[in-house]
Amino acid sequence: MSAARRSAVHLEMRDAYMLDDPEFIAWQRGKRYRPDDRHSWWRPWLDVVRATVDRGVVMRRARIVSEPISDYIRYEYDITFTNIAAGEQVRWLPRRQAKDLLVPGADLWVFDDTTVVFKHFTGDGQVDEPGMERVDDPSLATQCAVVFEAVWERAIPHDEYHP
C-alpha cells in the first residue's frame, strides 16, 4: 500500500473469509462498532487507509456478493462504514449482475495500473499460504484494472446498497 502513488483498487469475490477471525466471531456474538466511537473500531488497517488516502491515492473496493448475503458478508456490510470513514470508496455488486463479466479466479489488488497482488484462499476461506502473490506485469495489471472498472461501473455504492 505504501508504494501506491495514484490508485489502489481491491476486488473481492468470496462470500466468506477466515470464519475463525476473532472480530467476526465477536460480531456474531453481538459486538457492533459505534460510529460515534472511533477508538472502539479504528484498527491498524484503517490507519493505513487514512494515510494512503491522505497521500492522494484513490482507494476503491468492489465486492461481488451472492444474495441473500452470507453471515460473513453481513458482517462486512455492517463494518464498512469504518472503511468509508477512513477514506475508502466501497461498492457492492450482486453476483447475478456480474454473470457476463470475465473476472479473475482470485481476489486482487491493482496498484497504479502496474502491479497486481492476488490474494489466495482455501475453499473454506482461510489464507492459502503464502496468501499473496505479487505480479509486476503492466499488461496483466491493465487487464485486471479493466475488469475492476467493469465491476465498479455496475456496482452499487455502499450507502445505496441494502441487502
Side-chain angles (χ1 to χ4, degrees):
M1 199 66 58
S2 62
R5 299 286 180 245
R6 297 179 322 278
S7 66
V9 300
H10 190 187
L11 180 59
E12 295 180 330
M13 299 176 285
R14 297 183 53 86
D15 287 322
Y17 298 87
M18 301 175 51
L19 299 177
D20 60 351
D21 175 4
E23 286 296 312
F24 174 59
I25 293 168
W27 176 86
Q28 288 177 305
R29 293 179 178 154
K31 176 183 177 182
R32 297 296 184 267
Y33 293 132
R34 294 189 354 242
D36 62 343
D37 184 11
R38 286 184 179 222
H39 296 292
S40 72
W41 50 264
W42 203 258
R43 304 179 313 269
W45 167 247
L46 297 172
D47 292 335
V48 170
V49 172
R50 177 83 273 153
T52 302
V53 170
D54 285 350
R55 286 195 336 267
V57 176
V58 176
M59 289 189 70
R60 297 181 294 160
R61 179 185 307 258
R63 293 178 171 137
I64 299 175
V65 297
S66 298
E67 291 181 322
I69 62 173
S70 67
D71 283 347
Y72 191 88
I73 296 301
R74 170 65 62 192
Y75 158 69
E76 284 191 330
Y77 181 81
D78 284 352
I79 66 170
T80 292
F81 76 89
T82 64
N83 297 71
I84 292 168
E88 189 174 10
Q89 300 170 45
V90 180
R91 291 187 180 182
W92 304 84
L93 182 61
R95 196 169 307 282
R96 288 185 183 270
Q97 295 177 29
K99 66 183 171 289
D100 60 336
L101 296 176
L102 302 177
V103 297
D107 288 9
L108 58 86
W109 280 93
V110 179
F111 300 104
D112 297 329
D113 297 330
T114 60
T115 301
V116 181
V117 175
F118 291 100
K119 296 181 70 182
H120 299 289
F121 297 91
T122 62
D124 62 357
Q126 297 302 317
V127 173
D128 188 9
E129 296 303 327
M132 291 194 220
E133 176 186 0
R134 180 185 171 133
V135 181
D136 292 305
D137 178 345
S139 176
L140 179 61
T142 297
Q143 290 174 0
C144 291
V146 167
V147 167
F148 179 87
E149 291 304 326
V151 170
W152 186 258
E153 287 301 313
R154 288 188 190 182
I156 303 162
H158 177 73
D159 61 346
E160 297 173 24
Y161 182 64
H162 306 286

